[in-house]
Amino acid sequence: MENTVLKLDHKYAEVAERIESLIEKKVLKMGDKLLSVRALSKEQGISLSTAFQAYYFLESKGLIEARPQSGYYVKHSHEHALELPSVCDPVDDALPVSVDDMIRQVYSDLNAKGIVNFSVATPSIKLLPVAKLAKATMQAIRDSPAGCLNYENVQGNAALRKQIARQAFNWGGTPSEDDIVVTAGAVEAMSLCVKAITKPGDTVAIETPTYYAIFQVMESHGLKVVEIPADPTVGIDIDYLEQAIPRFDIKACLFVNTFNNPLGSCMPDDRKKKLVDMLAKKDIPLVEDDIYGEMYFGKTRPRTCKSFDRKGLVLYCSSFSKSLAPGYRIGWTIPGKFKAQVMRLKRMHSVSTNTLTQAALANFLSNGRYELHLRHLRKALHTQSLRYQQAVAEYFPEDTRVTRPTGGFTLWLEMNKKVDAYKLHRKALKYNIGIAPGPIFSTQGRFENCFRLSYGEPWTESVEEGIKTLGKLVREWK
């Protein structure tokens, strides 16, 4: 029965994908009328139900619309999309990290109830398998002789590490369970890895803009950073990085190369290989944060830098926080040649990671539920991404620039230079709307006229009204 359902699902998705491709290639343009459901059914040799499902799927993405008594029409075309944000200028200095009070202020503002929160880059609880995870948790307790009350192995639950190793096949990796160290989320994984390869006062290269928790990791270890400009589509400027390494005496790099937060950029596989090869020649380690890698919208998962690593210099970090269970706080690292140092640091700082949630996730993954969940999550996020982009194009001024991510959770908006994103954040709070202003994504408070907009929440009237209000506030800016 399940195989039959998957085949039907594949058929309507296949037809919808072909129509979407024609829209992207501008063969079908905005306003063009599509075949009727009956005509599509006859032409493609599919049932009326499957034809309707294909149109409904495209409609949910905001690509087509049904007009009463008339049929289906192309609604959205990339030809009418807003321009992409610009790439920032390089910096002249390697600077100590000072995490601005703005970060604390922004997130203390967002604790109030009733806020339409566009500021958090996580999936809505509505998109997560709550009941199945609860079942897996109860099963884990029943299966454990100690009821999961015992300390777990320092390196992590063996069954979970085995499942993570199997998942690595999707991104081109071939680690064994012994190569993996389980952590309390991806930030701990990154912190342990950075600590293992640097000493206070060292300079580390990071991309800009980037996730503010990375600044906090650097600050906690007394490090300086050099911000490497990132393109909103293909990621960091590798040529600039190569020139910056001797200039600033860069000792290590930390990049989010797949669906960077906040840009959503994804470095192509050939550029990832070029980056790894260049750093390997200079014997410089790379901490790779791949927390968003599973949230891709295309047919295949992007490869990781780790998959091109031949010298053990790439310290891979990820977690289940963005794809499955944010509150379970389970991450991991594959630290290559630095495993002994990472294990030593973990024993010193946290000893072991939560026993129950590790066992629960091991149970969930072993039953094959994860990949099915991911398919549904990716489809939902892709649809939401398109809907949010269309709303920005409709409600914001025409000189607004916005990214077009192919995965992840976030849009990056660049507004007219007269707009102050932090003041916009403060104004939006009065309407119970939360955004993440651009300056918190740079150690130097740059991107004053930019902000991050998360599309992790399913499309609703309140979401649309929130984006509409934001656009109105920007349009009224003096």
Side-chain angles (χ1 to χ4, degrees), residues 271-289:
R271 287 173 62 88
K272 287 175 181 169
K273 184 178 187 304
K274 179 182 177 182
L275 172 64
V276 171
D277 290 347
M278 184 268 287
L279 293 176
K281 287 178 184 177
K282 301 175 186 298
D283 209 35
I284 294 176
L286 165 65
V287 178
E288 177 181 22
D289 179 5

Side-chain angles (χ1 to χ4, degrees), residues 368-382:
R369 297 168 180 155
Y370 189 44
E371 188 52 46
L372 180 62
H373 159 65
L374 284 176
R375 284 205 298 271
H376 292 309
L377 179 60
R378 291 175 196 131
K379 192 178 293 184
L381 290 173
H382 191 190

Side-chain angles (χ1 to χ4, degrees), residues 59-88:
E59 192 176 17
S60 73
K61 284 188 171 185
L63 293 171
I64 68 174
E65 62 182 350
R67 298 180 186 173
Q69 312 300 317
S70 183
Y72 286 92
Y73 291 79
V74 177
K75 178 182 178 183
H76 178 70
S77 168
H78 289 306
E79 184 178 6
H80 295 271
L82 297 173
E83 289 187 32
L84 289 168
S86 55
V87 179
C88 69

Side-chain angles (χ1 to χ4, degrees), residues 150-164 177-184 188 330-333 339 343 346-347 350-359 362:
N150 56 302
Y151 281 115
E152 186 50 88
N153 179 286
V154 175
Q155 190 168 343
N157 180 292
L160 178 59
R161 286 187 282 120
K162 185 175 182 179
Q163 292 299 325
I164 292 171
E177 61 189 82
D178 193 50
D179 297 321
I180 297 164
V181 180
V182 179
T183 61
E188 184 186 48
I330 297 298
W332 66 91
T333 178
K339 179 190 164 189
M343 285 288 291
K346 188 180 179 192
R347 279 192 294 269
S350 60
V351 184
S352 67
T353 306
N354 189 293
T355 301
L356 176 56
T357 53
Q358 286 192 74

Side-chain angles (χ1 to χ4, degrees), residues 20 23 40 49 89 92 107 154 168 173 210 214 225 275 305 325 353 363 395 403 409 414-415 425 431 438 458 469:
E20 183 173 348
I23 295 172
L40 180 67
S49 173
D89 294 327
D92 293 326
Y107 283 90
V154 175
T210 198
I214 289 173
V225 299
L275 172 64
C305 287
T353 306
N363 181 283
Y395 297 124
T403 50
F409 288 91
E414 179 184 339
M415 300 165 291
H425 153 75
Y431 296 87
T469 300

